[in-house]
Amino acid sequence: MKTLSYPAFDYAALLRDIHEEAQALCGQGRVATYIPALAKADPQHFGIAIETLEGGSYSIGNADVPFSIQSMSKVLVLSMVLARIGEALWSRVGREPSGSAFNSLVQLETENGIPRNPLINAGALVTTDALLSHCPDALTELLAFVRQVSGNPGIAFSEEIARSERESGYRNMALANFIRSFGNIHNEVDAVLDAYFHQCSLMLDCRDVARAFLFLANAGINPGDSVRLLEPVRARRVNALMISCGFYDQSGEFAFSVGLPGKSGVGGGIVALVPGQLSICVWSPGLNAFGNSLVGLKVLELFTRRTGMSIF
Ligand code: DON
């Protein structure tokens, strides 16, 4: 892994400045309503946390309020699957940005049920299916993994959000059934959807998320317990997928304006990584038209502009 070097920053002061500047955008985005349980989110909530590989921990605002990480979970499940089956995943999921919405069905028909990448819903369903095939109790293992990487033994699923997603999950049901018709989902569709809805419902706060993703800024080693979770080359692959596909049809814009590997979720969270340095998580539930946190994007843009911390 290439380690980028930077001068020492006063992260506490930086967070205060950025929080104050981005606050004006709070309330301008639209909270996700297609999952009814998410519609209750308060658009004024706004937190930021930074965790550094040197052990620094900085936060501001509502950084200790848990929210559902939604699509950010796709990166964690992908990491678990790569650690278990490695390259075998790539015969079932691609590595190209889709240029389409996160829940789109359109490319699957002509591409024989092989999703473009593991970070859109279609690809995440296949990745979760692969986890189910390799773990007898996938949700228990997922929970143990997220507790390990976040260092928080209290992390849990939200049964309310998982149920709400199931009750309104016609898109994901269509995707899973369609992919299964091509033979690219191997387990019962219901079991795959149940695991997927649960992974999306995982409740973490900004500090938990920043800590949980830090192993990906550290060539695959979890700094909390020094355990290697991914081979360096695989950690690199996950970072590459985040930068090319982590923001769906806004991935190009995120690379352009921020230039860090990252991942968003419709719960309003965004995590971004500075390889060899740190992880930063922003949470604010108001979304833009692409399903990405409006304030989150602004914060990360300000962060890279002020610090020069970008891989480009
Ligand atoms: O499957 C869904 O639609 C949601 N559980 C997750 C989508 C999501 O987070 C997209 N991210 N920005």
Side-chain angles (χ1 to χ4, degrees):
M1 184 185 62
K2 289 177 199 63
T3 299
L4 311 171
S5 62
Y6 298 97
F9 290 106
D10 180 348
Y11 288 116
L14 187 70
L15 286 187
R16 276 197 301 277
D17 284 357
I18 292 177
H19 191 267
E20 195 184 327
E21 188 169 341
Q23 185 88 51
L25 289 177
C26 265
Q28 289 188 21
R30 296 173 63 132
V31 166
T33 51
Y34 74 98
I35 300 169
L38 295 186
K40 298 179 195 162
D42 177 352
Q44 294 303 331
H45 269 146
F46 175 21
I48 317 175
I50 290 177
E51 294 284 326
T52 72
L53 285 174
E54 285 184 343
S57 191
Y58 310 86
S59 64
I60 192 159
N62 305 117
D64 51 5
V65 177
F67 60 92
S68 76
I69 64 168
Q70 294 293 319
S71 286
M72 300 158 99
S73 67
K74 292 168 178 170
V75 176
L76 300 175
V77 172
L78 172 66
S79 299
M80 289 179 72
V81 169
L82 287 179
R84 283 164 177 77
I85 68 169
E87 307 305 305
L89 182 67
W90 306 123
S91 61
R92 300 179 56 189
V93 191
R95 289 103 55 143
E96 291 296 340
S98 70
S100 300
F102 62 87
N103 55 5
S104 174
L105 285 111
V106 291
Q107 287 155 342
L108 282 173
E109 168 101 69
T110 50
E111 296 177 7
N112 301 316
I114 308 284
R116 279 283 175 102
N117 67 69
L119 302 184
I120 51 174
N121 287 15
L125 288 163
V126 172
T127 311
T128 298
D129 179 60
L131 186 69
L132 284 183
S133 297
H134 288 83
C135 297
D137 192 350
L139 285 180
T140 306
E141 288 196 39
L142 171 60
L143 202 52
F145 180 78
V146 178
R147 287 173 175 171
Q148 178 188 2
V149 287
S150 65
N152 180 354
I155 301 284
F157 299 112
S158 161
E159 291 301 334
E160 186 202 347
I161 291 175
R163 195 177 329 111
S164 183
E165 281 216 53
R166 170 167 285 285
E167 285 166 6
S168 57
Y170 302 108
R171 271 268 158 174
N172 286 319
M173 289 174 206
L175 282 166
N177 280 292
F178 198 44
I179 299 169
R180 169 113 193 186
S181 78
F182 288 97
N184 196 20
I185 276 189
H186 302 162
N187 295 279
E188 287 305 319
V189 164
D190 265 357
V192 177
L193 288 167
D194 185 62
Y196 173 77
F197 293 142
H198 274 88
Q199 74 180 57
C200 291
S201 83
L202 276 165
M203 299 296 288
L204 278 74
D205 66 24
C206 290
R207 272 198 213 104
D208 297 326
V209 172
R211 234 170 258 160
F213 279 74
L214 208 45
F215 74 98
L216 290 167
N218 194 34
I221 295 176
N222 180 30
D225 55 15
S226 302
V227 171
R228 171 166 295 290
L229 300 170
L230 271 183
E231 289 307 312
V233 67
R234 292 195 176 138
R236 216 169 74 215
R237 306 272 190 248
V238 176
N239 276 279
L241 286 162
M242 281 194 278
I243 203 140
S244 55
C245 312
F247 296 81
Y248 316 108
D249 37 347
Q250 211 181 10
S251 298
E253 178 60 32
F254 191 78
F256 184 86
S257 57
V258 177
L260 291 174
K263 184 73 201 84
S264 61
V266 286
I270 298 184
V271 64
L273 305 171
V274 182
Q277 299 286 336
L278 59 82
S279 166
I280 174 168
C281 175
V282 192
W283 172 56
S284 177
L287 308 178
N288 66 14
F290 301 95
N292 300 321
S293 170
L294 196 80
V295 174
L297 292 170
K298 181 70 182 172
V299 164
L300 289 165
E301 204 182 314
L302 291 172
F303 175 79
T304 48
R305 198 183 314 150
R306 300 263 167 97
T307 60
M309 285 185 158
S310 165
I311 64 170
F312 300 114

